[in-house]
Amino acid sequence: MPYYVTTPIYYVNAEPHLGHAYTTIGADILARHMRQRGEEVFFLTGTDEHGEPVAQAAERAGVSPRELADRNARRFLDLMPQIDVSNDFFIRTSDERHVARVQEVMQRVHDNGYVYEGTYEGYYCPRCADFKTPSELGPGNACPIHEIVLELVTEQNWFFRLSAFEDALLRLYEERPELVMPDFRRNEALAFIRGGLQDVSLSRPKLKWGVPLPWDPGQVMYVWFDALLNYYTALSFARPGEDLTDRFWPASLHVMAKDILKFHSVYWPALLLAAGLELPERMYVHGFLLMGEKKMSKSLGNVLDPFRVIEQYGSDALRFYCFREVSFGQDGSISPAGFEARYETELANDFGNLASRVLAMVERYRDGVVPAGVEVDPALAGGEGGLGGVEVLVAGLLDRAEISRALDVCWGSVRRLNRYVEERKPWELAKDPGRARDLDAVLYNLAEGLRVVTLLLHAYVPKAADRLLGALAERSRGIAALGSRGGGQRIERIPPLFPKLG
Ligand code: ME8
C-alpha cells in the first residue's frame, strides 16, 4: 500500500514559526520511517495563499497579495531543507494548476446539487477565515484564538449543503474508528457533528484574492474549500507529465493541530462525499506547542524562530526536542532552557556518549573490527528497554502516528545499551585474556544494538544517524532486527555526534 502523508498548507500572511516546523517535522518522521520500511511514499506540504488572512496582511504591509504570497512562500520553502524535511512536493494554492482543478471539483459539487444561493448572517473571523457558530465565540463576540472582536456580517453568497451530510458522517465515524486520531479528538469531531450541522458559506462576495467560482466568477471561493482540496489537486501536477492521483489517492494520513480539526474532520469528508471522491484513510490531530501558557502564534507575536534555533543547536536537535519534550497529541510547553537540558542530558550524554564509547572500545580492544561469530545476548534483547523486537514495537506505534511514544521506546533502548555497558564492564573483561570471548560478545552486542537503534532514530535525527551509521559501516537505511547483522565489519571513530555547548 502506498503511503501518502500531508501537512496543513500554511498561511503566507506571515513568516514560518516553530509551530509550522513542528507539524512538518512530524509528518517527515512518518514519511522517512515508511520509506525505511520500503513503502512507496508521497509526502506533501505547502502554502495556503488565498483568502482574507493573506489579503488583509498584504494590505497592512502595503503590497499586493501576490507579492506577499511570493515573499512568504519563499520563507516556507527555505524552511524545509533547514529542518531536513524530505517532502516530495511543495504546493502553492496560487498555482494555476491547483486553481483549475479546484474549479473542476467544485463544479462537480455544484452539479451534484450541494450548492445553493442564500444570505449569510453571522460572525466571521478574517484571521481564521472561519464562520463562527455562537458556541465558538469568546466573550464579547471575540475570536477565542485571535482575541479580536468580530463583527456581525450579512452577505449574499453561495452555500455548501453541509447539513445534508450529518447522517453520512455519523455512519462514517462509526465504520472507521481510526478516521480521526487520537480518540479524544475523534470524540470532539463527533460531538460537533451530533450538535447539528449548519450549511456553510462557500464563497466570499467582496474578496478578489481567491479562486473564482466557475458558475459565478464574480465571487471567489471560501478559502477553506480551496485549501482543503490541495491534498487532492497536488497529485495531478506534482510530477511533470505524470498524474499520481490513482497511485496515491486517497491520502493515508493528514497531520495537523487541533485548531483546524473541524475543517478536516467535518467539512473535508463532506466535501469529498459531495464531489464523489474517496475519503482519506486517517487524520492525526496533535496539540499546540506553547511558550509559557500561550500558543505560539504569528498574530500573538510570541514565536520562537526555528531558523535561530537551528543555527544554535542544529536541525537534529530541534527535531528531537519537539517530539521528546511535548508528547505528540497533547499540548506542551517548550523553552530555550528545556532545549538545552534535553540536548545535554539526552542527545550529548545518553546517545552521543554511547556512540563514542562503543566506537572507542571496538577500536581499542578489537582494532576497529566488530567481533563476529557471537550470539545476541538474551539479557540485552529482553527486559526493560530490551532491543529484541524493538523495531516491531516502533513500527506499530508509527503506524498510528504515535511519534513521541515511538521515540520513548527508542530512548528506552538507548538507555538499555548504556546500562549494558555499565553491567558488563568491557574494560574489566579486557584485562583478563581468559575472558576474550566474553569481551567479543559484549562488543558485538553493543555495536549491533547501536546499529539497530540508530536505524530507528534515523527518521528523527537523520544527520547524526547518517554519520553514526557511516562510522558503523552500515550502508542500508532499512529497519533491522537485533542480530540480523553478524559482525566482522570495520568501524571508524568520529567526533562527538552532539558536541557539548560551550
Ligand atoms: O490553518 N503548535 O494555516 P496556519 C503546534 N492555512 N502546531 C502549530 C502551532 C503551534 N503553536 N502553530 C501552528 C492554516 N501550528 C490553514 C490550513 S490546511 C488545508 C489549511 C501548525 O498557517 C499546526 O499544524 O494557521 C496548525 O494546524 C497549522 O500550523 C496552522 O497553520
Side-chain angles (χ1 to χ4, degrees), residues 151-391:
E151 279 170 27
L152 192 67
V153 299
T154 306
E155 57 188 38
Q156 191 68 19
N157 54 22
W158 293 88
F159 279 79
F160 171 59
R161 221 178 273 284
L162 182 65
S163 58
F165 294 94
E166 214 171 286
D167 290 343
L169 289 181
L170 289 173
R171 262 200 317 279
L172 178 72
Y173 273 81
E174 195 62 40
E175 284 160 11
R176 294 173 44 178
E178 291 199 327
L179 180 67
V180 175
M181 303 180 299
D183 254 9
F184 69 102
R185 298 290 178 208
R186 173 180 184 269
N187 292 337
E188 278 174 36
L190 265 172
F192 187 85
I193 301 167
R194 290 199 182 115
L197 296 182
Q198 308 288 321
D199 292 343
V200 48
S201 210
L202 181 148
S203 62
R204 314 290 356 262
K206 291 179 204 120
L207 192 68
K208 295 278 168 294
W209 180 238
V211 179
L213 293 183
W215 62 89
D216 182 359
Q219 296 214 18
V220 298
M221 201 169 297
Y222 173 38
V223 65
W224 267 101
F225 290 143
D226 162 4
L228 286 163
L229 279 165
N230 91 88
Y231 303 134
Y232 177 72
T233 67
L235 294 175
S236 67
F237 60 91
R239 294 263 165 81
E242 200 184 351
D243 190 332
L244 300 175
T245 313
D246 286 346
R247 210 148 102 218
F248 289 105
W249 193 258
S252 315
L253 184 74
H254 296 313
V255 184
M256 78 212 71
K258 62 184 184 181
D259 51 341
I260 52 179
L261 168 77
K262 174 178 79 178
F263 301 103
H264 283 80
S265 62
V266 183
Y267 292 18
W268 180 222
L271 186 68
L272 288 168
L273 288 171
L277 293 172
E278 276 189 85
L279 304 184
E281 279 154 28
R282 298 193 290 189
M283 317 183 191
Y284 192 95
V285 184
H286 64 74
F288 286 152
L289 292 186
L290 310 169
M291 290 283 287
E293 295 293 300
K294 288 256 184 198
K295 176 194 175 220
M296 271 194 309
S297 113
K298 292 173 279 211
S299 37
L300 296 176
N302 59 347
V303 299
L304 195 68
D305 183 352
F307 295 102
R308 296 243 302 272
V309 173
I310 293 161
E311 218 170 277
Q312 199 180 345
Y313 299 88
S315 58
D316 280 344
L318 177 76
R319 293 172 62 101
F320 172 82
Y321 174 71
C322 290
F323 292 89
R324 186 88 177 121
E325 184 82 351
V326 178
S327 183
F328 197 54
Q330 310 291 324
D331 290 352
S333 292
I334 53 165
S335 65
F339 260 111
E340 274 173 33
R342 293 268 180 196
Y343 183 94
E344 292 280 339
T345 57
E346 299 194 333
L347 287 176
N349 291 345
D350 290 351
F351 187 49
N353 279 354
L354 172 72
S356 301
R357 282 175 105 181
V358 171
L359 294 173
M361 289 189 293
V362 172
E363 183 173 281
R364 184 173 325 136
Y365 303 133
R366 291 296 177 263
D367 295 325
V369 177
V370 176
V374 264
E375 298 290 310
V376 163
D377 185 343
L380 183 64
E384 198 195 329
L387 277 93
V390 64
E391 74 289 356

Side-chain angles (χ1 to χ4, degrees), residues 366 369-375 437 440-441 443-444 485-489:
R366 291 296 177 263
V369 177
V370 176
V374 264
E375 298 290 310
R437 287 301 290 160
D440 277 347
L443 294 176
Y444 165 74
R485 185 162 183 185
Q489 68 272 36

